[in-house]
Amino acid sequence: DTEVTQTPKHLVMGMTNKKSLKCEQHMGHRAMYWYKQKAKKPPELMFVYSYEKLSINESVPSRFSPECPNSSLLNLHLHALQPEDSALYLCASTQDSRRSYNEQFFGPGTRLTVL
Amino acid sequence: EDKVVQSPLSLVVHEGDTVTLNCSYEVTNFRSLLWYKQEKKAPTFLFMLTSSGIEKKSGRLSSILDKKELFSILNITATQTGDSAVYLCAVSGGGADGLTFGKGTHLIIQP
């Protein structure tokens, strides 16, 4: 298995809803990432998990809550989002965060719309 | 603040043309530069460059890095309509660092 999968593909939620995005990889990668991409903009880093521990949080608001239950799975829990949080949410993984040189491989993304 | 600048931001050429996309960077901690192609959804990995002067090649695509002048170029020869996409350049500080992306070059290949 050489890919990163994300579910759901699309999500529409109200500002009072609680939902979760899921990311999975079975490549044995030990670092996983969440990026947010607004229309016509490049991806922006949100969180990094290295060996299942949160290693980078790019000052993301607390209405986004990441979770890494095991080395293959990464979740992003969403609560009380704002319409400006509507974006494509991309998950990525890389083989070994202890190496200097790491390609990151991206999942297909979840397109989130907040009403 | 880390900066990755791509040029041009958009480019329209005809099928068969050769294009050169540019990426310059100013970052505090550099380990590698990566190129991605993004169509409708996720960025797909093209190249990772870590050493100056060594060309990476894959079919009609090639890329090279100049660590002294802090830039990279991506060349596409004999372009096809399927090459139409946004090409993203990103820099990594290594380890588990996230990527810092440029704004991308939106390439359109006309038949």
Side-chain angles (χ1 to χ4, degrees):
Chain A
D1 191 344
T2 57
E3 63 173 6
V4 178
T5 60
Q6 289 187 244
T7 54
K9 288 187 170 53
H10 300 274
L11 178 62
V12 180
M13 60 186 289
M15 289 190 283
T16 57
N17 292 157
K18 278 187 186 181
K19 296 284 183 186
S20 296
L21 309 185
K22 181 176 164 183
C23 173
E24 208 160 354
Q25 55 84 18
H26 296 287
M27 296 180 279
H29 288 182
R30 302 310 301 271
M32 295 182 77
Y33 306 76
W34 281 115
Y35 288 85
K36 173 182 176 179
Q37 187 175 26
K38 302 277 279 182
K40 298 193 191 303
K41 300 275 188 189
E44 290 180 351
L45 182 68
M46 299 175 72
F47 301 105
V48 181
Y49 272 84
S50 176
Y51 287 81
E52 295 99 71
K53 288 188 168 37
L54 183 65
S55 63
I56 296 177
N57 174 345
E58 291 285 347
S59 305
V60 179
S62 59
R63 57 186 185 268
F64 295 92
S65 174
E67 180 199 16
C68 189
N70 59 58
S71 60
S72 301
L73 194 52
L74 184 67
N75 297 321
L76 186 63
H77 303 297
L78 315 171
H79 174 53
L81 294 194
Q82 305 294 310
E84 59 264 27
D85 296 321
S86 299
L88 180 67
Y89 287 83
L90 293 164
C91 174
S93 71
T94 195
Q95 185 173 7
D96 187 344
S97 49
R98 294 170 302 183
R99 293 189 332 182
S100 292
Y101 310 116
N102 285 304
E103 307 96 322
Q104 285 187 24
F105 297 97
F106 285 82
T110 293
R111 189 158 302 279
L112 174 68
T113 303
V114 182
L115 302 175
Chain B
E1 189 185 325
D2 291 352
K3 233 182 341 181
V4 179
V5 178
Q6 291 187 246
S7 64
L9 291 180
S10 66
L11 184 58
V12 181
V13 300
H14 290 286
E15 232 177 347
D17 288 351
T18 293
V19 297
T20 298
L21 310 184
N22 304 294
C23 176
S24 64
Y25 60 91
E26 281 180 45
V27 297
T28 47
N29 189 18
F30 176 87
R31 285 291 186 176
S32 58
L33 185 143
L34 298 93
W35 284 98
Y36 288 86
K37 177 183 181 182
Q38 187 171 29
E39 296 171 270
K40 298 244 187 267
K41 290 239 173 157
T44 51
F45 173 77
L46 295 175
F47 299 112
M48 182 172 71
L49 302 153
T50 58
S51 302
S52 274
I54 298 173
E55 187 184 50
K56 293 258 178 134
K57 211 166 158 56
S58 175
R60 295 175 294 103
L61 277 66
S62 64
S63 184
I64 198 159
L65 174 68
D66 185 329
K67 284 167 79 171
K68 187 178 170 196
E69 300 297 330
L70 308 182
F71 79 90
S72 173
I73 59 171
L74 175 69
N75 277 322
I76 310 176
T77 59
T79 51
Q80 302 170 356
T81 53
D83 296 327
S84 296
V86 174
Y87 289 84
L88 293 164
C89 171
V91 171
S92 170
D97 270 13
L99 298 175
T100 301
F101 283 89
K103 290 185 177 178
T105 293
H106 187 191
L107 177 63
I108 297 172
I109 311 295
Q110 291 182 335

